[in-house]
Amino acid sequence: MIIYIAFLSVIFGLLLFELVATWKISYSGNLSLDKGRFVEPSPLAEGVPQQGPQKADGTYTVTLILAWTVIFLFSSLRYNVGWDYEAYYATVRYNLVTNIVSNGELATIFLIELARDMNMTNLYFFLNSLIFIMLVALTVKRYSQDYWISIIFFVCFPLFFLNSLSVIRLFTALAITFYAFKFIERGQLMRYLIAVAFAGMFHASAFIAIAFYFIRNVKLDILKLVVVLFSLPFVGKVVNSFVVAYLPTYAPYTEAAGGQEGTKAIFVLLFIGVVALFLRDKILENDRIANMYFNFYFVGLGIYLMFFSQGTMGHRLSLYGTFFSLLLIPKIVSLFNLDSNRVLLKVGISLFSIVIFLYIVYVGAATYVPYKTIFQIRY
């Protein structure tokens, strides 16, 4: 547990250092809204001109780069941390045939074979962490209204960073589709399909993200959306009946389970969704990109609700949408005009994030504690 406290201390220490170093210029964690946004020249999307301002693509400070570096090192240098770690490790080191390689996901197989050929088992974990952290960091840099809020929620919300230590290949696929958001924004269908296909070579679940392209400009009606969300758990039961009857191989992912992952996280996701619905008009005002990740988030929330009481299907597939909370939450915070209100929100988000991070590590001690590195491996 001490290692995790030290890890959080470094992240928040970097944040405090940057705040102190920039307090005289009203630092907000990102470029200011009136100066930091720009619209780069890009192709017309479906014949519709780009509308702006839309994105906040600025530069990372040294402290932000250090924060992402610490996160990457914490992930890539770990050993036997994460509930699926042993299965991945045994698959690479002992040439076991598991579902990690038997599903025909070619990029995953390639990285495993590369690690085997080089006799460097942990190369597999290193490369997956590199892809995952780098692509998330680049996407946050490109679109987030507040880099630090995105980083804090990414690290502390249990379904994201901590979960990535276990569900490795899925999170690599997730990071690729998250980064490919830029192709959706630009209306570049073929490039997006290629990116999703590549992500699918790490984990087949990535193909669900294809649907995002076709709902990017939909204006969701609040009443209809609420009705759909409430009805989805019943739809999930119908889907489960179909899977059990016709696709029994996948039944463990949809059947009711007593200990499925991430069940309490739904309350946080629902809270974000409720706030987003109340502020929808302000979130979407003159910002078509915000409309996109607003839509994607609710698709993810809907998937989670559909399979909430059934296996791991809900939380894993929903990640492709709920991961856009890394952009949605900073957007919501940016809507508060007074600096004092934004500061209070950031402090509240930070304190809540610290509590849930430490709570998850504590209750999941068998998975996360002790934290060991590759330098502690004894063959």
Side-chain angles (χ1 to χ4, degrees), residues 160 174 177-178 208-209 212 269 292-303 315-328:
F160 296 163
L174 170 63
T177 61
F178 188 56
I208 195 172
F212 289 167
L269 298 175
M292 293 179 189
Y293 57 71
F294 179 92
N295 288 353
F296 303 163
Y297 178 81
F298 277 96
V299 169
L301 181 59
I303 292 172
H315 119 255
R316 294 194 179 185
L317 287 182
S318 71
L319 285 167
Y320 289 94
T322 56
F323 205 68
F324 281 92
S325 59
L326 299 184
L327 307 181
L328 182 59

Side-chain angles (χ1 to χ4, degrees), residues 27-40 51-61 64 136-148 150 181 185 286-290 293 326-327 330-331 334:
Y27 177 75
S28 63
N30 196 354
L31 298 177
S32 60
L33 295 182
D34 57 336
K35 297 179 181 178
R37 294 180 173 188
F38 70 94
V39 179
E40 66 179 20
Q51 302 171 11
Q54 300 162 348
K55 66 181 77 163
D57 192 352
T59 57
Y60 271 161
T61 60
L64 282 159
V136 172
L138 289 173
T139 307
V140 165
K141 174 181 176 291
R142 186 175 185 83
Y143 293 106
S144 177
Q145 300 274 327
D146 192 305
Y147 301 145
W148 282 108
S150 296
F181 176 58
E185 176 234 320
N286 299 320
D287 195 339
R288 71 177 188 84
I289 292 179
Y293 57 71
L326 299 184
L327 307 181
K331 175 67 176 182
S334 74

Side-chain angles (χ1 to χ4, degrees), residues 218-233:
V218 173
K219 297 291 185 180
L220 297 175
D221 179 86
I222 293 180
L223 181 59
K224 292 179 181 178
L225 178 59
V226 170
V227 171
V228 169
L229 290 176
F230 274 104
S231 65
L232 285 175

Side-chain angles (χ1 to χ4, degrees), residues 194-300:
I194 291 171
V196 172
F198 180 56
M201 294 169 67
F202 286 92
H203 199 279
S205 62
F207 290 106
I208 195 172
I210 292 176
F212 289 167
Y213 187 90
F214 301 99
I215 63 167
R216 66 196 188 284
N217 293 323
V218 173
K219 297 291 185 180
L220 297 175
D221 179 86
I222 293 180
L223 181 59
K224 292 179 181 178
L225 178 59
V226 170
V227 171
V228 169
L229 290 176
F230 274 104
S231 65
L232 285 175
F234 302 100
V235 176
K237 293 180 180 179
V238 175
V239 172
N240 176 56
S241 299
F242 175 84
V243 171
V244 171
Y246 300 102
L247 300 169
T249 302
Y250 298 95
Y253 295 99
T254 63
E255 288 183 309
Q260 66 264 34
E261 310 149 16
T263 52
K264 293 183 176 62
I266 188 63
F267 298 110
V268 178
L269 298 175
L270 281 172
F271 178 76
I272 295 170
V274 170
V275 173
L277 286 176
F278 274 108
L279 298 176
R280 187 191 70 158
D281 291 341
K282 290 185 177 181
I283 292 172
L284 307 186
E285 185 178 7
N286 299 320
D287 195 339
R288 71 177 188 84
I289 292 179
N291 182 72
M292 293 179 189
Y293 57 71
F294 179 92
N295 288 353
F296 303 163
Y297 178 81
F298 277 96
V299 169

Side-chain angles (χ1 to χ4, degrees), residues 327-342:
L327 307 181
L328 182 59
I329 295 174
K331 175 67 176 182
I332 291 172
V333 172
S334 74
L335 300 178
F336 291 82
N337 296 323
L338 294 178
D339 288 342
S340 58
N341 290 340
R342 286 202 299 271

